[in-house]
Amino acid sequence: MVWFKRVKPSIRTTDRRDVPEGLWSKCEDCGAMLHRRQLEENLNTCNECGHHFRISPYRYFSILFDNEEFSEFDDCLRAADPLTFVDTKRYPDRVHDTIEKSGKTEACRNAFGKSAGADLVISAMDFGFIGGSMGSVVGEKISRAADKAIELNAPLIVISQSGGARMMEGAFSLMQMAKTAARLTRLGENRLPFISLMTDPTMGGISASFAMLGDLNISEPKALIGFAGPRVIRDTIKRDLPEGFQRAEFLQEHGFVDMIVHRKELKQRLAKTLAMMRVEG
């Protein structure tokens, strides 16, 4: 039996607009829902809890260089396959697939330009390319960034964002630890500042080499920084780890990080610091 008849037609849904994908992002720390435009205006940080999302080298360049103007260099370098490495796929195939899917060419990009009116060279790593792992190309790019800084008589900033050395290149990737450290020594010989900016994550051979060798070691808030991961350490020593272990705040308290800077304040703090470190003549 029909108890009633609909007087008006049912609600029309043909004009309903779907919400575009990627319009909202969820904060990994506090769970807040953030609109994409709002997130970009806050330099990809959560306005509720201050969580710093991972960003690409180009985003760092746009934040730090004046008027978002910069010149990229040494972009033509590509990974070789010295060990003819194969796991689930051949190493060259993995690199090719990553380039095709992400549009990124390597785990590091170099650029120079003006920041607060002064020359600056930046070498920034990218976790989006094979976990930001350091292979021969990354080591070479950081080394060339140091050379460019000497050529321009400018400070160098290296922005670390990596899981460590690239296993597909074996000992060749480990050699980059010594190579980059040696090349950065030349900056000191030329009385040029080297600032290391550690972001989430800075792990493995990166933290064991150039990331901790800065004249000033800076970190973004709550960045994971260490050599082995917390789980590996806990399983090895069979003890619970202190709260906040391997986070930037813990490392600052124990003297491994000089300062923690919010991304919104990064350019101003760097300009002020580099002005104090600048050597005339």
Side-chain angles (χ1 to χ4, degrees), residues 140-162:
E140 180 65 16
K141 280 197 169 188
I142 293 173
S143 298
R144 293 192 185 191
D147 292 342
K148 178 64 73 173
I150 294 172
E151 176 188 333
L152 298 176
N153 194 37
L156 171 65
I157 296 176
V158 177
I159 303 175
S160 300
Q161 189 184 98
S162 173

Side-chain angles (χ1 to χ4, degrees), residues 107 125 132-136 138-139 142 162 164-166 169 173-174 176-177 180 205-206 209-210:
M125 304 187 73
S133 53
M134 180 171 67
S136 300
V138 172
I142 293 173
S162 173
R166 189 171 299 176
E169 296 186 24
S173 65
L174 299 179
Q176 307 312 308
M177 297 168 62
T180 52
I206 308 303
S209 56
F210 60 84

Side-chain angles (χ1 to χ4, degrees), residues 18-141:
D18 294 328
V19 177
E21 291 185 8
L23 191 61
W24 295 86
S25 295
K26 183 177 181 180
C27 177
E28 299 172 4
D29 198 6
C30 70
M33 295 303 297
L34 307 170
H35 192 275
R36 181 174 58 190
R37 182 180 298 176
Q38 181 186 44
L39 193 59
E40 291 175 354
E41 290 174 351
N42 283 286
L43 304 184
N44 296 88
T45 63
C46 177
N47 61 342
E48 297 290 336
C49 68
H51 173 73
H52 283 49
F53 290 75
R54 291 175 190 155
I55 57 177
S56 70
Y58 285 130
R59 186 68 170 124
Y60 279 111
F61 294 160
S62 68
I63 292 171
L64 295 176
F65 286 119
D66 295 343
N67 303 316
E68 301 185 14
E69 296 177 355
F70 57 88
S71 298
E72 189 174 0
F73 60 97
D74 292 326
D75 185 43
C76 60
L77 300 181
R78 298 292 183 271
D81 186 20
L83 304 178
T84 60
F85 185 89
V86 181
D87 48 16
T88 56
K89 63 174 67 175
R90 296 171 59 249
Y91 179 41
D93 294 338
R94 185 177 299 280
V95 171
H96 178 269
D97 291 347
T98 303
I99 293 174
E100 288 292 316
K101 292 178 181 177
S102 66
K104 308 172 190 292
T105 56
E106 250 300 335
C108 181
R109 289 191 178 275
N110 293 343
F112 66 90
K114 296 285 187 180
S115 181
D119 289 330
L120 180 66
V121 179
I122 302 177
S123 185
M125 304 187 73
D126 192 340
F127 194 80
F129 191 96
I130 314 182
S133 53
M134 180 171 67
S136 300
V137 171
V138 172
E140 180 65 16
K141 280 197 169 188

